[in-house]
Amino acid sequence: MPPDLGIPNSDSALGGSGTAPAEPWANPLETALWCAAQGWPVHPLAPGRKTPAPNCADCRDRPHPAQECPCIPAGHWCHGFHAATTDPSVLTAWWRRQPRFGVGVSCGPAGLVVIDVDAHPAPLPTPDRLLPGIHIPDSVCLDGLRHGFHSLAVLAALRGRPDPAQDGTTLRVRTPSGGLHVWYTTRPGQEWRCSTGSGASRALAWQVDIRSHGGYIIAPGTRTVSGRYTALDGARRPAPLPGWLGAELERTGHRPVPPGPRGGSPTPVPSRARAAVVAARGGRDSAARALATVLAAVTECAAVPQGAGFTEKLNRAAFTAGGLVGAGRMAADAAEAALMAAATHARPGQERRCLAIIRSGMGAGSRRPLDLGERR
Ligand SMILES: [Zn+2]
Ligand SMILES: [Zn+2]
């Protein structure tokens, strides 16, 4: 008999829709101060947006590592989560300047790991990408599986554990797009890396992202143009990460990168990045060559940790890939995988940022199908 995976529908999955008790986050400044009081470093988000408040002109026009930025010690918010602080006087000054800033929490230094469940209806991925590393027996019926709530529920069911999306013992925040952030604390000394569940690198489950070191999460109470991040009934503070989820994160490669030398010598392009370039071939060598050329510019940034124009090169590569996809010369999935492999090789630990650049670049490029100047 096929196991009952109890795939919930996304509405009932979140528990009652009753009115929540009074929240400690009445306005953005109070939210920021409340987060800081939990020991969570906070940084501002552009009003109404999910993205960090913009850098100053210097930091925008002359890219440099956050570690070398004079703005941050001077109390400016440049470099997104790198500027996050728990200092109430700095936070008060920031939100006095712009009361409509949203609130971002820098997950890693806060000792947080957040399970970010998406609810975007999308075609099912191939079975190996649904729960990477887990063989789903044919006897398991996946009918009705449509988004991240389902893939996470299937993972929990296969492990015989409660569904984290239903975990009322921890802080859960409903996102404006119908997704859910399940907040957990890490143990002292325990670190996790970010991932995107639909990306090409490590992933816990399809449409389930992990936010931790190298990423930030939007605080409850924050409002964007799409709506409000609203805490669900239940706990208002994160509970410790359940042991079984920790084991799953470990299994899926979310352990931290061991501190290692990142010297100036060129590192070889890993086979995964090369394989992705090959996989990106849509059967037409001119398309593969066009992509390989721009991808090479991205991977070469690995040798230059700063000032390499990485963002611009990745954006250009994504735009080119989008153009090839738009022209029907390449599959979007394969192109995205190739771009992510090249990007994570050049800038490990920045998957989230890279994926955003890739998606926006590919989106723009796909509206301008690339004519490679040959007869078809
Ligand atoms: Zn600056
Ligand atoms: Zn700077």
Side-chain angles (χ1 to χ4, degrees):
M1 187 181 107
D4 174 16
L5 295 173
I7 293 177
N9 72 52
S10 59
D11 296 327
S12 67
L14 300 180
S17 56
T19 45
E23 294 180 343
W25 31 79
N27 61 52
L29 174 58
E30 277 186 34
T31 306
L33 294 174
W34 182 84
C35 291
Q38 317 301 311
W40 306 338
V42 165
H43 63 102
L45 305 177
R49 310 274 308 272
K50 295 160 72 170
T51 49
N55 285 355
C56 73
D58 268 3
C59 293
R60 186 192 59 214
D61 298 337
R62 286 186 280 140
H64 49 262
Q67 295 75 12
E68 294 168 14
C69 181
C71 296
I72 297 175
H76 296 301
W77 58 68
C78 298
H79 300 271
F81 65 82
H82 294 287
T85 179
T86 56
D87 184 335
S89 60
V90 173
L91 298 175
T92 304
W94 286 348
W95 268 271
R96 288 233 167 103
R97 254 181 89 180
Q98 175 48 276
R100 291 170 48 243
F101 273 153
V103 180
V105 173
S106 178
C107 299
L112 293 169
V113 54
V114 179
I115 317 293
D116 177 356
V117 188
D118 279 340
H120 301 135
L124 268 189
T126 52
D128 58 311
R129 286 185 71 175
L130 194 61
L131 297 174
I134 293 181
H135 173 69
I136 301 174
D138 290 341
S139 58
V140 174
C141 172
L142 298 176
D143 289 353
L145 200 149
R146 290 191 317 277
H147 47 57
F149 282 97
H150 301 152
S151 55
L152 184 61
V154 170
L155 175 63
L158 287 173
R159 296 303 191 221
R161 301 290 179 168
D163 181 356
Q166 314 255 24
D167 185 356
T169 69
T170 197
L171 174 63
R172 292 173 303 157
V173 179
R174 189 201 269 272
T175 73
S177 59
L180 186 72
H181 295 164
V182 187
W183 293 48
Y184 289 113
T185 57
T186 59
R187 284 194 298 279
Q190 187 186 47
E191 291 189 0
W192 302 108
R193 304 158 74 187
C194 290
S195 70
T196 55
S198 310
S201 49
R202 66 186 163 276
L204 178 67
W206 177 61
Q207 286 206 7
V208 178
D209 299 350
I210 302 300
R211 310 269 175 236
S212 201
H213 271 274
Y216 65 94
I217 193 73
I218 299 179
T222 295
R223 218 174 247 294
T224 68
V225 288
S226 316
R228 190 168 182 273
Y229 288 74
T230 305
L232 294 184
D233 290 355
R236 285 303 162 81
R237 284 187 172 76
L241 179 72
W244 77 272
L245 262 180
E248 291 301 318
L249 291 180
E250 195 137 348
R251 178 184 62 78
T252 47
H254 291 81
R255 282 182 303 266
V257 198
R262 276 189 55 72
S265 61
T267 48
V269 175
S271 57
R272 196 181 53 175
R274 276 200 310 271
V277 173
V278 173
R281 287 170 193 260
R284 296 219 167 212
D285 277 350
S286 58
R289 275 197 305 275
L291 184 61
T293 304
V294 285
L295 280 181
V298 173
T299 53
E300 279 161 13
C301 290
V304 189
Q306 65 198 62
F310 170 76
T311 301
E312 192 190 315
K313 286 171 183 168
L314 180 58
N315 186 52
R316 179 157 167 256
F319 188 85
T320 301
L324 293 169
V325 171
R329 305 294 299 271
M330 192 163 283
D333 269 356
E336 185 182 300
L339 289 158
M340 271 306 278
T344 54
H345 168 67
R347 293 291 181 270
Q350 299 187 18
E351 283 78 1
R352 181 193 169 105
R353 177 177 156 251
C354 292
L355 189 65
I357 295 168
I358 289 167
R359 294 208 166 140
S360 110
M362 283 185 67
S366 68
R367 291 189 287 276
R368 296 185 176 216
L370 198 58
D371 176 6
L372 291 174
E374 59 189 18
R375 298 264 164 233
R376 305 201 58 178

